């Protein structure tokens, strides 16, 4: 039987990965700021998942802006990294889990979530940064199901639609026939804007409200429309809708394991939250024992 071991919401700002590693030296002045990210990494290693569903966004790297799927899921056995023009070696490919991908596709498409299915797909820093921050060597070989959400080109899907997609994924996972330990990761945010006159916009009050409500009151977060997300959290802060896919997928009742927040990493407010399903809650949600 499948076990949903928990879920993580986390920023994907590229400067985060080196900060989490570098600041492990005890004299680093921001040592404590990055402790929550290291705790999330330790939690994930302890939960020892076989597969990670990573809800992320592409930044015009793998999908050109001529061809932007609203929701795209990978169904491949491996995912190469997209070349983001940084002139560095790209790093190893990620192992896929086609069986789990197809189970999700077969579950959610008949429910009206017409995902674009990608049997070949590259992934950018939206996926690889949280992977570097969260996955240590104990999880070597962990499989990945990438789920890309368009948050870069209008019109983007609403927070409510993202939450409902997550719930449909949760229902699909509940009927997965194989033994598997699965964690769900939603990436992006927190508040930030990288472009235009409001570049550097950060809204800590909004971020703290988001971290609080996503635990027990996520529906309230689906009440903001996309223009409001951009207005409050910044044009790239609107990436936070991907945390709502994660939150929908993990079930109605959850417990917060830990959370953390630091400002700024690069020009971005960075946050992390770790959630576990309240025991028995997932079975109740699908009408089980
Ligand atoms: C940064 C933030 C992002 O969300 C991103 O995709 C790239 C860079 C940043 O703050 O540097
Ligand atoms: Fe981003």
């Amino acid at each position: 039987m499948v076990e949903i071991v928990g879920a993580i919401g986390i920023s994907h700002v590229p400067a985060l990965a080196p900060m989490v590693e570098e600041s492990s030296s005890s004299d680093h002045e921001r040592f404590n700021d990055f402790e929550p990210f290291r705790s999330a990494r330790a939690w994930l290693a302890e939960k020892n998942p076989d597969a990670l569903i990573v809800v992320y966004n592409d930044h015009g790297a793998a999908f050109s802006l001529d061809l932007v799927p609203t929701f795209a899921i990978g169904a491949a056995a491996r995912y190469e990294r997209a070349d983001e023009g940084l002139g560095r070696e790209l790093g190893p490919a990620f192992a896929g889990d086609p069986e789990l991908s197809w189970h999700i596709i077969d579950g959610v498409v008949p429910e009206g979530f017409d995902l674009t299915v990608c049997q070949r797909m590259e992934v950018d820093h939206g996926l690889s940064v949280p992977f570097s921050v969260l996955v240590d060597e104990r999880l070597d070989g962990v499989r990945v199901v990438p789920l890309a959400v368009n948050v870069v080109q209008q019109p983007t899907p609403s927070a409510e639609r993202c939450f409902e997609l997550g719930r449909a994924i949760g229902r699909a996972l509940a009927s997965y026939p194989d033994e598997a330990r699965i964690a769900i990761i939603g990436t992006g945010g927190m508040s930030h804007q990288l472009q235009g006159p409001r570049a550097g916009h950060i809204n800590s009050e909004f971020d703290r409200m988001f971290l609080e409500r996503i635990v027990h009151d996520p529906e309230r977060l689906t009440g903001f429309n996309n223009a409001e997300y951009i207005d409050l959290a910044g044009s790239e802060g609107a990436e936070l809708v991907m945390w709502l896919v994660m939150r929908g997928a993990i079930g109605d009742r959850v417990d917060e394991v830990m959370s953390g927040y630091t400002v700024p990493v690069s020009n971005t407010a960075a946050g992390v939250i770790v959630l576990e399903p309240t025991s028995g809650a997932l079975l109740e949600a699908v009408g089980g024992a």
Side-chain angles (χ1 to χ4, degrees):
M1 216 196 110
V2 73
E3 187 182 345
I4 309 299
V5 299
I8 301 177
I10 189 166
S11 302
H12 61 221
V13 45
L16 192 55
M19 290 306 277
V20 168
E21 277 155 29
E22 276 166 31
S23 62
S24 62
S25 87
S26 58
D27 59 358
H28 193 288
E29 61 179 7
R30 292 191 66 190
F31 179 78
N32 290 327
D33 290 359
F34 296 94
E35 187 49 39
F37 296 90
R38 283 192 291 273
S39 298
R41 180 184 177 99
W43 173 87
L44 193 65
E46 199 177 301
K47 289 291 170 184
N48 193 25
D50 303 301
L52 308 173
I53 299 169
V54 186
V55 187
Y56 76 106
N57 71 287
D58 183 68
H59 299 75
F63 298 113
S64 91
L65 294 180
D66 297 342
L67 208 160
V68 181
T70 299
F71 294 115
I73 187 168
R78 55 189 271 124
Y79 302 97
E80 300 290 343
R81 294 171 193 242
D83 186 345
E84 300 190 62
L86 300 175
R88 318 190 194 108
E89 255 187 66
L90 293 181
F94 299 94
D97 190 334
E99 232 173 282
L100 178 58
S101 293
W102 281 111
H103 183 82
I104 293 169
I105 295 159
D106 289 336
V108 307
V109 174
E111 287 204 34
F113 292 93
D114 306 324
L115 307 180
T116 298
V117 176
C118 303
Q119 302 199 56
R120 184 169 53 79
M121 183 178 183
E122 292 177 350
V123 292
D124 80 355
H125 71 268
L127 184 144
S128 62
V129 167
F131 193 95
S132 307
V133 172
L134 294 173
V135 175
D136 76 15
E137 61 289 342
R138 284 172 284 177
L139 295 182
D140 219 16
V142 69
R143 304 185 296 271
V144 164
V145 172
L147 175 65
V149 178
N150 168 32
V151 295
V152 298
Q153 186 154 273
Q154 298 298 327
T156 57
S158 67
E160 187 178 9
R161 184 75 175 153
C162 289
F163 186 59
E164 290 303 326
L165 170 62
R167 297 182 86 182
I169 292 170
R171 288 190 289 276
L173 292 177
S175 69
Y176 193 56
D178 295 352
E179 287 282 326
R181 296 172 62 76
I182 296 175
I184 303 147
I185 296 172
T187 85
M190 298 192 85
S191 61
H192 65 298
Q193 173 142 347
L194 302 176
Q195 55 188 314
R198 275 211 317 168
H201 171 80
I202 283 177
N203 183 346
S204 296
E205 202 182 322
F206 178 84
D207 291 334
R208 291 193 186 282
M209 179 279 294
F210 191 95
L211 282 170
E212 200 181 303
R213 287 202 187 149
I214 197 159
V215 185
H216 298 302
D217 198 8
E219 280 88 352
R220 290 277 288 284
L221 300 173
T222 67
F224 296 106
N225 66 32
N226 288 347
E228 288 167 332
Y229 268 97
I230 291 170
D231 185 37
L232 291 162
S235 53
E236 281 75 35
E239 292 175 340
L240 280 169
V241 295
M242 291 174 294
W243 293 37
L244 291 170
V245 182
M246 167 281 281
R247 180 62 188 84
I250 193 179
D252 290 346
R253 288 198 287 129
V254 301
D255 298 313
E256 178 178 331
V257 178
M258 48 104 10
S259 66
Y261 182 71
T262 185
V263 173
V265 177
S266 176
N267 282 325
T268 296
V272 63
I273 195 162
V274 175
L275 304 171
E276 288 182 16
T278 304
S279 49
L282 264 185
L283 284 174
E284 278 167 34
V286 295

